Every structure is written in structure tokens, then in C-alpha cells.
Amino acid sequence: MNIIKKGTDSVITVIAFVIAFIWLIPLIWMIGTAFTEPSFSMTLFPKTGFTLKNIIYVWNAVPFKTYYINTLILVTVTFIIQIFTSTMAAYALAVMDLKWAKYVFIIIFMQIIIPNDVLITPNFMTLKDLNLINTKLGIMIPFLGTAFGIFLLRQHFKTIPKSLSEAARIDGANTWQIIWKIYMPCAKPAYLSFGVVSISYHWNNYLWPLIVTNSTQNRTLTVGLALFAKSKEATMQWANVSAATFIIIFPLIVIFFILQKRFINSFISSGIKE
């Protein structure tokens, strides 16, 4: 039995490595192409020498500095507000004895199923009525409340013994102190999971910023990349397009490699509990 189990584990490991390599092929090609001499042909592994000219050219040809600042502002502000709104809602649904909490949670959970793209038209019309088209606030508003964040934190808050908050209440702590000093520190894995998901989603979000913005001052990195890929500077120049893509995804790659172990463990520890 042990031999059969070891053999099965070995086969599963080999299959996992093969699938992982297949998923890595586009990334390998993109990075290799970004740092080699421009060519009109496409090959998996580069055939020309290493160079940084593509990165330098793209950085100077496209206002990536402005796009980076815009994206950082949007991602940071959105995440901070999401943390606040999600924490308050999750605490109310998980800890406070609200009469209709279960039904409210079901409604919030149903929103996770609805794709954001379905809500583009009503959101756009609302922003138009508020004169927030082509503004950073207009990009952020639909995402300041997040059903996924509420769901994830609520599930983790349910695992924290209520006796901790009751003891703190006896010692004179108010609701905000209980949340700040007990629930938020105990839910660090859930916050880390939500942080990675939120930051990566809004960093890579393309369709909504494309629809809402029409000026360089408010465009994000993904919109800037799409416009550059269609420009005459990038026509059929895979090296330039790959270099621009690498500039955009580099921060996310670094963050992932630094936090990958904690990120995976945080999802495992953020189990589902009713």
C-alpha cells in the first residue's frame, strides 16, 4: 500500500509540475522577449542578446510615471476604505446579535456571484449624474464596499471566541477598541488574503477604468498598456509590448514571491464557519 501511495503521489507531483510549466510559458516568453533585441518573429526562448533598451524606450515613450501614480493612489485608497467598511460590516454580522444578520449575510454573499461587468452600465449612469466621470473617485466608488471582503472577514471573526470581547467589555473597552485590539490582530491571515486579492484585482483592472477615464491624468497602468499596444510605436514590436507588460506586472511578481507562503497559509487558515 505504501508503494502504491508513493507512486500515486509521484505521478500527481509530475502532473502538477507539467501543468505549472504550461501556465508559466506566457510569463517566460514575455520576460524573455522584454529583455532581448526587437524582432518580428515569435519564439518561446530568445534568440538575440540581453538588452535594457526596450524597458528604457517604453518608459520614455509612455507616461508610465503618471500611470503608476494613478494606479498606486487608486489601489491604496480603495484598499484602506475597503478594510474599514468590510471590518465594520463583518463585525456586525459575526459578533453583534442582529435579528436579520443571517439574511443580510446571504444577500451580501449573493453579490459575490454577480460579475462586476454586469453592473458597468448602471454604475456609469450613476457616476454621470454625479459628474464623476474621468475622475479617480469615479473609478474607486463602485469598489469601496466589497462583498468578498465582508464574507472573508466575517468567516474569520466567527472563529474568534466571544469571551475575549466580553472580557474586554468588562474591563471598559468600547466597540472600536475591541475591534482594533482583538478582532483585527486575530484576523491577520484573513486581512492578508483579502489584501492580496484586492490589490492584484485593482492593479490589473482594465475595463472599468477604460470606460470611466479619457485623459492621461486619470488613466491606470492597464489602460495605458492597451493604448500603447495599439500605437504605432508598438506595432508588431513584441519586445516593446512585452517590456511595457513587464513594467506593469513587476511589482506584483515581487510581492507574490515575498508573500507566497503566508498568502497560501492565510487562505487555509481562513476556513468557512457558520
Side-chain angles (χ1 to χ4, degrees):
M1 292 297 293
N2 291 333
I3 296 176
I4 296 176
K5 183 178 180 181
K6 290 182 179 179
T8 304
D9 292 341
S10 299
V11 172
I12 294 175
T13 302
V14 171
I15 294 175
F17 272 109
V18 172
I19 295 175
F21 178 75
I22 294 174
W23 278 97
L24 283 174
I25 287 176
L27 181 63
I28 295 172
W29 175 84
M30 183 272 295
I31 295 177
T33 306
F35 291 96
T36 55
E37 296 291 338
S39 173
F40 289 98
S41 62
M42 297 177 61
T43 58
L44 178 58
F45 297 102
K47 295 182 178 180
T48 57
F50 176 85
T51 180
L52 292 174
K53 292 181 180 179
N54 302 324
I55 301 293
I56 297 173
Y57 170 76
V58 170
W59 184 264
N60 294 327
V62 182
F64 271 116
K65 182 178 180 181
T66 301
Y67 295 153
Y68 254 103
I69 294 174
N70 293 340
T71 304
L72 285 172
I73 292 174
L74 293 173
V75 170
T76 304
V77 175
T78 301
F79 177 63
I80 292 174
I81 296 178
Q82 283 181 338
I83 287 293
F84 177 78
T85 56
S86 300
T87 300
M88 297 298 103
Y91 178 83
L93 294 173
V95 182
M96 300 178 68
D97 295 324
L98 302 179
K99 184 177 180 180
W100 303 102
K102 185 175 183 179
Y103 300 101
V104 173
F105 174 71
I106 293 174
I107 294 174
I108 293 175
F109 181 76
M110 291 174 60
Q111 295 181 25
I112 301 177
I113 305 174
I114 302 175
N116 290 324
D117 296 347
V118 175
L119 303 175
I120 284 180
T121 300
N123 287 339
F124 183 84
M125 297 303 295
T126 301
L127 292 181
K128 184 178 179 181
D129 294 337
L130 296 174
N131 294 321
L132 291 176
I133 300 298
N134 194 34
T135 63
K136 295 181 180 62
L137 181 60
I139 301 176
M140 293 185 289
I141 280 182
F143 304 100
L144 298 183
T146 164
F148 174 75
I150 296 172
F151 168 76
L152 191 64
L153 293 178
R154 183 259 187 187
Q155 300 306 105
H156 205 96
F157 285 174
K158 294 283 286 186
T159 65
I160 301 173
K162 287 188 177 182
S163 58
L164 294 177
S165 60
E166 292 172 355
R169 186 83 64 181
I170 293 173
D171 290 337
N174 55 37
T175 301
W176 174 246
Q177 289 173 327
I178 293 174
I179 295 173
W180 180 257
K181 295 184 179 181
I182 296 177
Y183 280 88
M184 293 183 72
C186 291
K188 283 183 180 180
Y191 281 107
L192 179 60
S193 300
F194 173 64
V196 174
V197 173
S198 175
I199 291 172
S200 60
Y201 175 82
H202 293 290
W203 189 276
N204 296 317
N205 194 11
Y206 167 71
L207 185 58
W208 178 246
L210 175 67
I211 293 175
V212 176
T213 61
N214 54 30
S215 65
T216 303
Q217 289 72 23
N218 293 303
R219 286 186 181 130
T220 59
L221 285 167
T222 51
V223 177
L225 173 63
L227 296 177
F228 172 74
K230 296 178 181 179
S231 65
K232 61 181 181 179
E233 290 85 358
T235 304
M236 295 302 294
Q237 289 293 340
W238 299 111
N240 292 336
V241 176
S242 297
T245 305
F246 179 80
I247 290 174
I248 293 175
I249 69 172
F250 179 72
L252 295 182
I253 293 176
V254 173
I255 293 174
F256 173 76
F257 278 110
I258 293 175
L259 300 176
Q260 60 173 325
K261 185 175 181 180
R262 297 181 64 182
F263 171 59
I264 295 173
N265 290 338
S266 64
F267 263 116
I268 294 175
S269 62
S270 299
I272 307 295
K273 181 178 180 181
E274 287 296 335

